[in-house]
Amino acid sequence: MTLFTILIALAVFILLAFFRATIGSWLLAIVVTSVVLAIETRLPGTPLMILYAVLAIVTLLFGVPTVRRHVVSGPVLSLFRKILPPISDTEQEAIDAGTVWWDGELFSGHPDWNRLLAFPKCGLSESEQAFLDNEVEQLCAMLDDWDITHRRADLSPEVWQFIKDKGFFGMIIPKRYGGLEFSAQAHSAVVAKVASRSGTAAVTVMVPNSLGPAELLLHYGTEAQKDQYLQRLAKGQEVPCFALTGPFAGSDAGAIPDFGVVCKGEFAGQQDVLGIRLTWEKRYITLAPKATLLGLAFKLHDPERLLGGAVNRGITLALIPTDTPGVQIGRRHFPLNSAFLNGPTQGRDVFIPLDYIIGGVQRVGQGWRMLMECLAAGRSISLPASSAGGMKLAARTSGAYSRVRKQFNLPIGRFEGVEEPLARIAAHTYMVDSARRFTALAVDLGEKPSVVSAIIKYHATERGRIVINDAMDVHGGKGISLGPDNYLGRFYQQTPIGITVEGANILTRTLMIFGQGAIRAHPYVLKEVAATREQDREKALQLFDDALFGHVGFALSNTARSLVFGLTGGHLIPVPEGVILRRYYQQLTRFSSAFAMSADLAMAALGGSLKRREKISGRLGDVLSQLYLCSATLKRFADEGRPEADLPLVHWAIQDALYKIQQAFDGVIQNFPNPLVRLLLRVMIFPLGKCLQPPSDQLGHQLAALLMLHGAVRDRLTAGIYLPTDESDPVGALEAALASTLQCEPLLEKLHLARKAGRLTELEELPRIAQARDAGIITAGQALLLERDYALRRKVIMVDDFAPEELQAAHP
């Protein structure tokens, strides 16, 4: 009977944890269970009295809030303050910046899938779609990427003027200032389409609409600053840039040595103007060589306290016309043969008035937070969009090339060795584009998703690297031979740029995704940290007590849920009505609970040292990232009406992500320094072992076949890129060659059989077609089709070559 009672008690405790019971419910369950056990075991008087005394003490300590705060929470708060790793001002501002969105659901351990599916569908307004179909289409038609990157090392003057005249620099600027006032989704769609044609043009368009003067002015500028600059920026009368990175402050941008000193000086012929004397050295600044308006981040000092307050005022932002005396611009960097304008800027003892500070004097010292909030929005759009555009181009062209190009009388895409990269290309493109749309939707909903923006920036660029590497492998010699007919080479060369900028990917993965997410997106950690900074002791105790015991219940719940879900495989987890991919929702919920539990255990066991355990935090970040990417994929599939033909894309993408989650958890477990925590994690997450497998070869075969056929799936996958119809264009020729190949294959098979039978003796293809026509094997019309097919295939397969003097002229 006692064993049965113990099992019942354990079941009750698991249920309490599972449903996140209050501390009162826990105490009641403990008291009742203890009394029942004492009665059943017939404890003698003295032990029974001791038990009752212990229960009374436990109830007093944990059940009476006033006592609990001072006896339990107070000492824990003191310990927490000692072990909490120091957080610099810039780190704190980065944590405080932005908002928590779907990442909060994933950190909860119990994501609300109905909320996910209830988010608005991604889409464009009529005017936005019209701009994409007209102005963006016209811009893409004007772009010759070989001319841009090889001959000019810049956009042509006509393209520059078109971009300015058509408002490409003003996509985020409201209409009242002459801008287009596009949604984030439209902004993203424009960048993606341009990126599918030219990386240089995409960067030129996206930078003025990302982290820069326009974004900062919209959120923080004074009305006078907005009136002065926004209309000129929208019309392209000003070319903006923003300078943050310098030689001694790259990823650690908060350590910028550039400084300004508040003083009085001469400006525009006036004496004793209160202003700032600036000294800076920046590099890697996009559009700087041609900029007319320079945004600048620097540390402000006020040694004479002319502004009042402290001497060291912190990071501050200013907007400076580049014709200001002392501003140096014009020289260029040359990032991996890319032609977008990027270069250094310097200035020494450059005097500017105080009204050049973005937001005015009241924004002094707020620069880092301003940057982090704007970066969260900008990073959610620009780099994911440019990566997605390039990935779609790689997917469409690789599929077509694999069908057109033959070896051993077989399309190369039918070789299993080629099917593997084609499957990866298709699935990664589908998932990244899903996340691009979903994240842009967050911005349109008013979010500034700091953690989510780090996830999408990292995975869009990393998966972009995988896709372009696979595409280059598929294309072979066609991919490595640069020239006017190479549509992949520059994308391949420029891929590391996106991986490096706006937070290098190594740092983003190991420090930002989990490191920032564990504090920002966790439902209790930020509250606990905030309580340690509260100076009022009673208020600090109350805040910390509420957060601490909420956190305890949260941790117990996710521990219980992880174990139950692990034992049942998550089969009992409820999912939204009408979904056809219920197992994926269930597995993602299971891993969300396991992730929340693992995060709490890692923070509890490692404390401040977790900040330096970048391999563990990186793997935990991988779990969070895959959960987010899968969420975006499921959302897209639902929004598009759950087309059955797209299921192979969804299956491969999510099965791959789930397998990577499993492997990331296994890496955390195997490398966790505490053996007891290792054991606990393995039992709670994988009580029955690791059961997930990567996508099957058969599924990969289906994806490869979809890429090599004209059809709705291929069109949906690559929707939104520029597709020229001119057969003199290499991509246009490839599209025509694919259609021709599919049409002419039965005719080519007829010629092949006739040749085997000895009816055709010509060794070359064109004479053989003529011979077949003359012999009545094919009609004259069919012969014309085959001759055109041969010409298209030849154009697609051939690579560029040059006279030596042509290359010497381009590279003197």
Side-chain angles (χ1 to χ4, degrees), residues 177-362:
Y177 295 110
L180 297 174
E181 200 173 344
F182 277 176
S183 65
Q185 293 175 75
H187 176 187
S188 176
V190 170
V191 172
K193 186 166 184 173
V194 177
S196 71
R197 186 62 167 171
S198 166
T200 298
V203 171
T204 303
V205 167
M206 76 188 192
V207 166
N209 293 286
S210 185
L211 175 61
E215 178 89 359
L216 291 165
L217 285 172
L218 283 171
H219 292 288
Y220 311 108
T222 65
E223 290 304 314
Q225 289 171 338
K226 292 177 182 179
D227 291 339
Q228 180 179 2
Y229 287 119
L230 285 178
Q231 190 166 23
R232 293 181 59 78
L233 286 166
K235 293 183 176 181
Q237 293 168 345
E238 301 279 4
V239 176
C241 71
F242 190 85
L244 174 62
T245 304
F248 297 100
S251 296
D252 184 15
I256 54 176
D258 314 286
F259 64 91
V261 177
V262 179
C263 61
K264 291 184 178 181
E266 180 184 351
F267 186 79
Q270 295 184 346
Q271 303 296 322
D272 292 329
V273 175
L274 185 59
I276 305 168
R277 197 166 298 281
L278 288 165
T279 295
W280 73 89
E281 183 183 19
K282 305 288 191 178
R283 63 178 180 177
Y284 309 147
I285 311 305
T286 299
L287 297 186
K290 203 167 187 171
T292 61
L293 199 58
L294 169 68
L296 186 71
F298 58 93
K299 289 182 177 175
L300 184 64
H301 306 279
D302 187 8
E304 300 179 35
R305 288 186 165 85
L306 296 174
L307 301 180
V311 171
N312 298 319
R313 303 302 297 268
I315 295 176
T316 301
L317 310 181
L319 204 54
I320 308 167
T322 56
D323 59 2
T324 301
V327 175
Q328 299 177 40
I329 60 167
R331 294 188 64 81
R332 292 181 61 176
H333 301 309
F334 194 35
L336 293 176
N337 272 8
S338 182
F340 68 87
L341 299 181
N342 182 276
T345 174
Q346 302 90 22
R348 176 167 292 278
D349 294 331
V350 176
F351 186 81
I352 63 170
L354 288 180
D355 58 11
Y356 279 17
I357 296 173
I358 298 177
V361 175
Q362 60 267 35

Side-chain angles (χ1 to χ4, degrees), residues 146 149 335-338 468 472 482 488-497:
W146 179 248
T149 58
L336 293 176
N337 272 8
S338 182
I468 187 57
M472 292 290 283
L482 286 175
L488 293 179
R490 295 305 193 199
F491 178 32
Y492 174 78
Q493 285 182 310
Q494 295 163 20
T495 292
I497 299 171

Side-chain angles (χ1 to χ4, degrees), residues 669-719:
I669 293 168
Q670 288 189 32
N671 293 281
F672 207 89
N674 186 311
L676 291 177
V677 175
R678 276 204 305 270
L679 177 61
L680 180 61
L681 286 171
R682 189 164 294 283
V683 169
M684 292 297 171
I685 300 176
F686 301 121
L688 302 180
K690 296 180 293 180
C691 304
L692 297 176
Q693 298 296 323
S696 68
D697 291 348
Q698 178 58 32
L699 190 55
H701 170 76
Q702 294 177 44
L703 261 64
L706 289 173
L707 271 192
M708 292 189 291
L709 289 175
H710 275 307
V713 176
R714 181 170 178 261
D715 289 341
R716 278 194 296 271
L717 178 65
T718 60

